[in-house]
Amino acid sequence: MTNTATNFDKVQLREIDEDHHGQRIDNYLIGQLKGVPKSRVYRILRKGEVRVNKKRVKAEYKLQAGDIIRIPPVRIAPPNTEQNIEKFDRVKQLESHIIDETNQYLILNKPSGMAVHGGSGLSFGVIEALRALRPKEKFLELVHRLDRDTSGCLLIAKRRSFLTHFHELLRTKAMKKEYLAIVVGDWDSNNNRVTAPLKKNQLKSGERFVSVESDGKPSETRFKCLKRFGQYSLIKAMPVTGRTHQIRVHAQYAGCPLLGDSKYNLNSQDENQLGLKTFLLHAQRLSFTLPEDDNVLVYEAELPSKMEDIINQLNKKSN
């Protein structure tokens, strides 16, 4: 069968409602023009083909309720049929990972191995999958992120006002996150707080790498050892700040890198005799308040079966 190009083939005029008030126009367009490469979105903005209230705007312009946006015709290549089938299957599986859903937000137990959004060679991620599951939802945005190989609690806002509220909780450190991880080594119970500053670097390959540097950003993670298995430990990590790869790098800095973490544990292949393809880091618990409500909501995500299996194996070996 011959593929034909997908088209947003007519000029569109959109009026901005309250749900999109305050959103950057580039992010709005990326959400609306699904399948259009980000580079194309930024190009039509740069060229002035997108108009707000008949005027040119920059990518960082924040939309106001009542704004009228002119979106030009955009032509994109069709998606690959096999990828569509794979996407459909994975989207259906994701439905069973939803922990709770209200009119304002959604909590997901994100599977390990799935990125939170498309990009870097990935055709789709969690947010694209959820938008496919909820085609009538006008607004679905990630509140925070998890690494591709990290599982557990992921919060998605369904209203812009709630996204703003959740971001304020993150900024003021009022949203609490608890992770479980298996690390290599006997964790020192006296080492319950790491404050090493973190600096994000980009390798020539484009891969991100974070290191402890004196000129890095202030970072803090609190740790608690839950169980020892001889040469391994099960720990709880409670990040106070939210830096890229923070738990992984702080655990390495404390002398106990995550089991199977090939990026931050140079001996991971030698030490990993448990058949792991990646590290085990699970966002087990997330707690927060809602606007104008002091009651703290607490959500927990079940451990992935692989992590349960490894803990059971380690228990048997250590007994």
Side-chain angles (χ1 to χ4, degrees), residues 88-130:
F88 183 68
D89 288 343
R90 294 190 73 186
V91 166
K92 287 195 298 184
Q93 293 170 13
L94 203 61
E95 184 80 61
S96 64
H97 288 262
I98 294 173
I99 298 170
D100 191 24
E101 182 174 9
T102 71
N103 291 330
Q104 295 80 29
Y105 64 89
L106 183 152
I107 296 275
L108 183 77
N109 185 355
K110 186 188 86 65
S112 173
M114 190 172 188
V116 293
H117 58 77
S120 302
L122 301 169
S123 59
F124 77 102
V126 168
I127 193 64
E128 290 84 6
L130 288 174

Side-chain angles (χ1 to χ4, degrees), residues 92-256:
K92 287 195 298 184
Q93 293 170 13
L94 203 61
E95 184 80 61
S96 64
H97 288 262
I98 294 173
I99 298 170
D100 191 24
E101 182 174 9
T102 71
N103 291 330
Q104 295 80 29
Y105 64 89
L106 183 152
I107 296 275
L108 183 77
N109 185 355
K110 186 188 86 65
S112 173
M114 190 172 188
V116 293
H117 58 77
S120 302
L122 301 169
S123 59
F124 77 102
V126 168
I127 193 64
E128 290 84 6
L130 288 174
R131 286 168 181 161
L133 280 172
R134 304 285 186 272
K136 293 183 179 179
E137 287 287 352
K138 292 182 180 180
F139 188 90
L140 280 174
E141 295 290 343
L142 293 163
V143 172
H144 58 108
R145 300 184 180 190
L146 295 175
D147 286 349
R148 181 176 182 176
D149 291 321
T150 301
S151 57
C153 291
L154 182 67
L155 180 60
I156 293 94
K158 297 173 69 176
R159 297 287 184 273
R160 174 149 291 279
S161 58
F162 273 71
L163 180 65
T164 302
H165 169 74
F166 291 141
H167 280 170
E168 180 64 14
L169 293 184
L170 288 170
R171 188 186 70 80
T172 59
K173 302 177 176 56
M175 183 179 292
K176 306 299 182 186
K177 303 175 185 177
E178 296 182 16
Y179 293 73
L180 293 182
I182 298 175
V183 298
V184 178
D186 187 355
W187 187 275
D188 181 359
S189 293
N190 293 319
N191 193 4
N192 55 18
R193 183 170 174 260
V194 176
T195 58
L198 300 179
K199 187 172 183 179
K200 186 162 58 175
N201 308 285
Q202 190 161 338
L203 304 178
K204 290 182 179 179
S205 62
E207 186 180 7
R208 290 182 302 173
F209 186 86
V210 178
S211 56
V212 173
E213 304 285 350
S214 58
D215 61 343
K217 291 185 177 180
S219 308
E220 180 179 350
T221 310
R222 294 171 186 172
F223 291 99
K224 181 179 181 181
C225 185
L226 301 178
K227 192 171 181 63
R228 292 182 172 81
F229 309 100
Q231 67 184 108
Y232 305 108
S233 302
L234 174 65
I235 63 167
K236 178 192 290 187
M238 295 154 282
V240 178
T241 51
R243 311 299 181 202
T244 300
H245 300 173
Q246 178 174 311
I247 294 172
R248 298 163 63 188
V249 180
H250 274 177
Q252 175 206 40
Y253 183 78
C256 292

Side-chain angles (χ1 to χ4, degrees), residues 182 229 232 272-276 280 305-319:
I182 298 175
F229 309 100
Y232 305 108
N272 181 13
Q273 302 169 1
L274 299 166
L276 285 179
L280 296 174
S305 57
K306 182 65 176 177
M307 195 165 185
E308 282 191 334
D309 290 345
I310 295 297
I311 290 173
N312 289 335
Q313 285 184 53
L314 293 175
N315 264 325
K316 289 177 182 177
K317 287 183 178 181
S318 62
N319 289 336

